[in-house]
Amino acid sequence: MTDRPVILWFRRDLRLGDNPALAAAIETGRPVIAAYIHDPKLDGRAMGGASAWWLDKSLRALAADLSGRGSSLVVRAGDAETEIEKLVEETKASDLFLNRMFEPIAWARDARLAETLKGRGVQAHGFNATSLATPGAVCTQAGEPFKVFTPFNRALWDQARPRQSRCAPDHIRGPDSPMTGINIDSLALHPRRPDWSTGFSDWTPGEAGALVALDRFLDQALADYSGDRDRPDREGTSRLSPHLHFGEIDPWRVATAARTAAEGGEVPYAQAEKLCAELAWREFSIQLLTAFPTLASENYKNGFDRMAWRDDPAGLAAWTQGRTGYPIVDAGMRQLWATGWMHNRVRMIVASFLIKDLLIDWREGERWFWDCLVDADAASNAQNWQWVAGSGADASPFFRIFNPITQGEKFDPRGDYVRRWVPELAALPADWIHRPWTAPPMELAAAGVGLGETYPAPIVDHATARNRALDALKATRG
C-alpha cells in the first residue's frame, strides 16, 4: 500500500514553522497524522504545575493552527512508547517523524522505540528542532564535553550551523478517515480548585505568541539588553524562555533575528552577541545534562556531598512564601508564585539566599522552581541551581554569596520592583525599602509598616549566615 500514512509525533516542538520533522513528513506526500501523547513523565520527571498550565494553552494553540491548515491534532494519554506503538498499529503507518528530545531518559526511550518499530517495518526519522547543536556535536579537541562555558560558547558559534528556516505550511494533508483521540480538557492541565493561575494572563503560549514576544523584544529591549537584563524594575529581558522550552520557536530564529538587527544597524552588535551568549548558556546546560544525566539530583562536584546542609522547614517555608524579611528575595518569590516566572537576576539572588544564607540544599530550591516555573527545563533548572551552589560545572564559587540588601539597592535602586510585589512596603522611601528594619520608627509608621506584623523581620542575619556558610564550605574541604 503506497499511501500508508505517516505519524508526526509532537513533543517539545509545538510549532509548525521551522519544524524539520513536519517538513520531512509532508515531503513524503502521504497523509500526515499529527499526534500528541500526554505522558506526564515524558522526560523522566513529572511535569510541574506551572508547566502544565503552559502546555494546556500551547496544545490548544497548536490544535487551532493545524485545524486552519486542514489537519487536526490527535491527542492520546498514557505511556508514550506504548501509545505510539498502538497508533502505528492502528493506522498502519509506514514512518514515524519526530524532533528529538535530549533528556537522557527520553533519548534512551526514543532509541528503544525506533528499534522496536524497525522490527515491524516502520522507519523512525529523528531531527533536531530545539537546540542550536545536537548534544555531543560541540566538544573539546580531546572529544570530551566542555566543562567551562567560555570556550564552549566560542566553539558553538564556530561549529554550529543554522537550520534551514521554513515558514509554516499552508496546508497539511491529514488522514482520509477521522482519528479517535481525547479532548485536551480531559488532560486536566489547567489548575482547578483553586485556580492559582489568574496572574499568568500576561503570557500568550503558542507559536504566534512566541513570534510576537520575539518581535517585541527586538523592537523594545535588545538595544540595551546587556544592562537592562539585570534590572527587574525594567522590561529588559526577552521572556522567551518558556517559548523556547516548549519548542514554540527555534533558537536559531532568535539568534539570527538578533544578529540581523545588529547587521542592519538597528541595535549595537554587542547587544545581539550578549543575547546569543544567553542562548549558548541554555545550550551549555543541555550539553551538560546529556553528559551527566544526574545533574538535577546529584552534585556535579562530588566534594559537595560532604556539605552539612541544614534541615530548616520553617526557613524553607518562609522562602517559598516570600516571607523572609529581605524585600528583594520576597519580591522574587512572590513574582514566581503569581506569574510562573521570575527575573533572571532575582533568580540568582533568591537561590543564593536559600543555599547560603539559610544553608538549605540546592535541590530543595530546584524542586520548587520545577513546580512553579512556566519555563521549568530539566537542563537549565538543574544547571543554574548548581551554578549558584558552586557544585556545578563552571560554577560560581560557593564563597560568592550575594548580599540581598546591596543586590536590591544596585539592581532595583528606586525600589519599584519591590513595591510591585511586596505592596506592604510600597510607601517606604527608596533609602529604606531594601532594609526596612534599619528605617527610623517614624519612617516605618508613616509608611504603615509594622515589622513582625505587616511585614516580617529578617529570618536570618546576613552577615552571620555568610560566616556560617563559609565555615560549612571549609568543613567540606577538610
Side-chain angles (χ1 to χ4, degrees):
M1 183 166 53
T2 59
D3 210 29
R4 290 164 61 188
V6 299
I7 295 172
L8 172 65
W9 183 14
F10 282 102
R11 290 109 62 86
R12 205 65 57 66
D13 55 337
L14 305 182
R15 65 178 187 267
L16 302 185
D18 297 327
N19 190 320
L22 170 61
I26 291 174
E27 286 171 4
T28 65
R30 298 185 179 187
V32 177
I33 298 169
Y36 176 81
I37 312 298
H38 184 60
D39 183 343
K41 294 186 177 182
L42 189 65
D43 56 9
R45 185 177 184 183
M47 181 178 288
S51 293
W53 176 90
W54 189 284
L55 176 62
D56 177 77
K57 312 303 174 288
S58 190
L59 285 177
R60 295 176 192 277
L62 177 64
D65 288 345
L66 287 166
S67 178
R69 290 163 173 81
S71 183
S72 61
L73 183 64
V74 179
V75 179
R76 305 277 176 96
D79 175 74
E81 193 171 350
T82 300
E83 291 300 319
I84 285 295
E85 290 182 37
K86 288 180 180 177
L87 190 59
V88 168
E89 179 63 27
E90 174 187 333
T91 62
K92 308 303 181 188
S94 63
D95 297 82
L96 172 68
F97 290 86
L98 53 86
N99 290 307
R100 296 184 180 97
M101 294 176 61
F102 299 114
E103 293 83 358
I105 289 178
W107 183 269
R109 181 205 53 234
D110 289 355
R112 187 171 57 246
L113 177 60
E115 190 64 25
T116 299
L117 294 180
K118 183 178 179 181
R120 300 179 184 178
V122 176
Q123 185 70 32
H125 308 268
F127 303 85
N128 177 15
T130 57
S131 64
L132 296 168
T134 301
V138 179
C139 55
T140 67
Q141 291 183 351
E144 298 291 329
F146 278 97
K147 299 176 183 178
V148 179
F149 173 67
T150 300
F152 171 81
N153 185 35
R154 288 195 298 265
L156 173 67
W157 298 112
D158 285 345
Q159 298 175 26
R161 294 293 176 266
R163 284 181 286 274
Q164 179 182 356
S165 182
R166 299 173 185 266
C167 295
D170 294 328
H171 178 77
I172 301 172
R173 179 189 173 194
D176 296 332
S177 302
M179 296 290 303
T180 60
I182 59 176
N183 192 285
I184 294 173
D185 289 342
S186 67
L187 300 179
L189 298 169
H190 188 93
R192 309 284 183 189
R193 299 180 184 177
D195 181 352
W196 39 256
S197 68
T198 54
F200 287 27
S201 58
D202 284 347
W203 295 110
T204 306
E207 183 175 9
L211 295 174
V212 168
L214 174 60
D215 286 343
R216 181 172 58 241
F217 171 65
L218 295 172
D219 292 341
Q220 300 177 11
L222 180 57
D224 298 306
Y225 179 65
S226 60
D228 284 358
R229 64 182 294 274
D230 276 327
R231 293 287 298 270
D233 57 338
R234 298 176 179 173
E235 297 295 330
T237 62
S238 72
R239 292 173 62 89
L240 286 169
S241 51
H243 297 292
L244 286 164
H245 172 70
F246 284 95
E248 297 167 352
I249 193 168
D250 187 338
W252 272 114
R253 176 179 283 263
V254 178
T256 301
R259 286 178 165 169
T260 299
E263 290 165 2
E266 300 170 38
V267 300
Y269 187 75
Q271 303 299 325
E273 288 310 296
K274 181 58 180 175
L275 174 66
C276 288
E278 293 303 306
L279 291 171
W281 180 259
R282 173 180 180 268
E283 200 78 11
F284 186 52
S285 300
I286 295 170
Q287 306 273 339
L288 281 173
L289 181 64
T290 303
F292 307 99
T294 59
L295 198 63
S297 58
E298 296 180 12
N299 293 309
Y300 175 85
K301 297 176 182 174
N302 56 22
F304 275 79
D305 294 345
R306 297 188 293 273
M307 180 65 75
W309 301 114
R310 296 174 61 246
D311 182 20
D312 183 7
L316 179 61
W319 179 80
T320 61
Q321 295 165 12
R323 302 284 297 170
T324 69
Y326 285 91
I328 193 72
V329 174
D330 295 341
M333 297 307 294
R334 296 184 193 187
Q335 180 187 30
L336 172 64
W337 182 258
T339 70
W341 185 83
M342 188 193 301
H343 186 277
N344 182 63
R345 166 58 59 171
V346 185
R347 293 189 197 201
M348 292 189 286
I349 297 170
V350 305
S352 178
F353 187 86
L354 180 75
I355 296 167
K356 298 169 184 179
D357 284 65
L358 300 182
L359 207 57
I360 291 176
D361 194 327
W362 62 266
R363 281 161 282 221
E364 295 284 358
E366 194 276 343
R367 282 190 285 268
W368 185 255
F369 272 31
W370 180 262
D371 191 38
C372 295
L373 283 171
V374 291
D375 62 6
D377 181 86
S380 294
N381 198 39
Q383 153 75 345
N384 288 328
W385 273 96
Q386 292 227 45
W387 183 87
V388 175
S391 61
D394 196 18
S396 173
F398 184 87
F399 56 77
R400 184 189 183 196
I401 300 173
F402 284 153
N403 183 321
I405 304 165
T406 57
Q407 287 282 307
E409 291 172 340
K410 180 177 181 180
F411 296 111
D412 183 29
R414 294 187 301 271
D416 294 342
Y417 178 73
V418 165
R419 288 190 179 89
R420 178 177 181 183
W421 296 109
V422 189
E424 54 269 49
L425 300 179
L428 265 183
D431 288 347
W432 312 109
I433 198 164
H434 290 293
R435 51 176 86 218
W437 61 92
T438 67
M442 291 182 62
E443 292 279 7
L444 291 173
V449 178
L451 288 179
E453 298 173 0
T454 63
Y455 183 71
I459 63 173
V460 65
D461 175 70
H462 174 68
T464 302
R466 183 179 186 278
N467 290 333
R468 179 177 63 185
L470 293 176
D471 288 342
L473 177 63
K474 291 176 185 176
T476 67
R477 293 173 175 173

